[in-house]
Amino acid sequence: MENKVTHEGGAFINFRNYSFQDPWSHGFRWVDVKRLTFPAESVGDRELLAALIGHEQFRDDYAGGGVLPEGTRHGPYWLRMVTPDVYEPVSGEKSAHILRQWANQFGRVPAELEADLQQEVFDRLSAADHIYYLSGLGDDAFHDWGGVHDCFHEFVLIGRSAGQISVLVAADD
């Protein structure tokens, strides 16, 4: 299955590109969405998560280094610590609530940013058949400089009818 997952593209929303009225708003917040496709043949969600973890696009430290095909980090974690079992199934409502709280933690976001978040984040959550939240890794999973992110939220969205699996990361650094 690993070789059949294909990177399709993505989106990056940098909060610094928008004007905030609140002078205390954090300037280094962003959302990264990576979209991959998979064949229509029926495999379980755990197999799809394993294929995603095995894909080179998953080797991203989300700290400016970009995707490193031979990388050993994923976000703030050692790649070897991220397995399908550390993803918790969550509802669309719960994931939207987590992301809405994160986005508005320093005050309501501007209308233009809200429109981008709606299109790239919240509409995707609504369309997903299954959503998984990366959780429960613990402090031992952090790599040598893994504390660079103040907040790190990762969701994997599976859309079977579209044959798409997306990694959605919202973070502060």
Side-chain angles (χ1 to χ4, degrees), residues 59-69 145:
R59 291 166 174 77
D60 191 334
D61 59 28
Y62 295 102
V67 173
L68 300 172
W145 47 268

Side-chain angles (χ1 to χ4, degrees), residues 73 76 78 141-147:
R73 294 174 181 88
W78 290 113
F142 283 108
H143 59 68
D144 47 349
W145 47 268

Side-chain angles (χ1 to χ4, degrees), residues 11-136:
F12 186 79
I13 302 171
N14 188 339
F15 280 43
R16 287 188 293 174
N17 294 343
Y18 303 89
S19 297
F20 284 84
Q21 303 235 343
D22 178 2
W24 296 103
S25 65
H26 192 290
F28 301 101
R29 290 191 300 154
W30 47 264
V31 176
D32 185 275
V33 180
K34 289 179 176 30
R35 293 184 317 273
L36 298 95
T37 57
F38 60 89
E41 57 207 40
S42 181
V43 296
D45 286 359
R46 294 289 172 210
E47 289 85 4
L48 283 174
L49 287 168
L52 173 67
I53 293 166
H55 197 279
E56 74 176 28
Q57 286 293 316
F58 199 75
R59 291 166 174 77
D60 191 334
D61 59 28
Y62 295 102
V67 173
L68 300 172
E70 302 302 319
T72 59
R73 294 174 181 88
H74 174 75
Y77 307 111
W78 290 113
L79 180 63
R80 70 181 182 277
M81 303 299 282
V82 182
T83 66
D85 294 332
V86 299
Y87 285 90
E88 166 191 334
V90 294
S91 68
E93 294 80 19
K94 181 177 180 179
S95 53
H97 177 74
I98 290 167
L99 289 165
R100 190 69 67 199
Q101 279 190 313
W102 170 81
N104 292 318
Q105 65 185 309
F106 299 108
R108 207 156 166 82
V109 299
E112 185 182 0
L113 174 56
E114 178 60 37
D116 288 345
L117 289 171
Q118 185 63 47
Q119 178 181 346
E120 294 297 340
V121 175
F122 299 107
D123 288 351
R124 289 184 192 287
L125 290 173
S126 295
D129 296 315
H130 299 105
I131 302 170
Y132 292 91
Y133 186 52
L134 182 62
S135 63

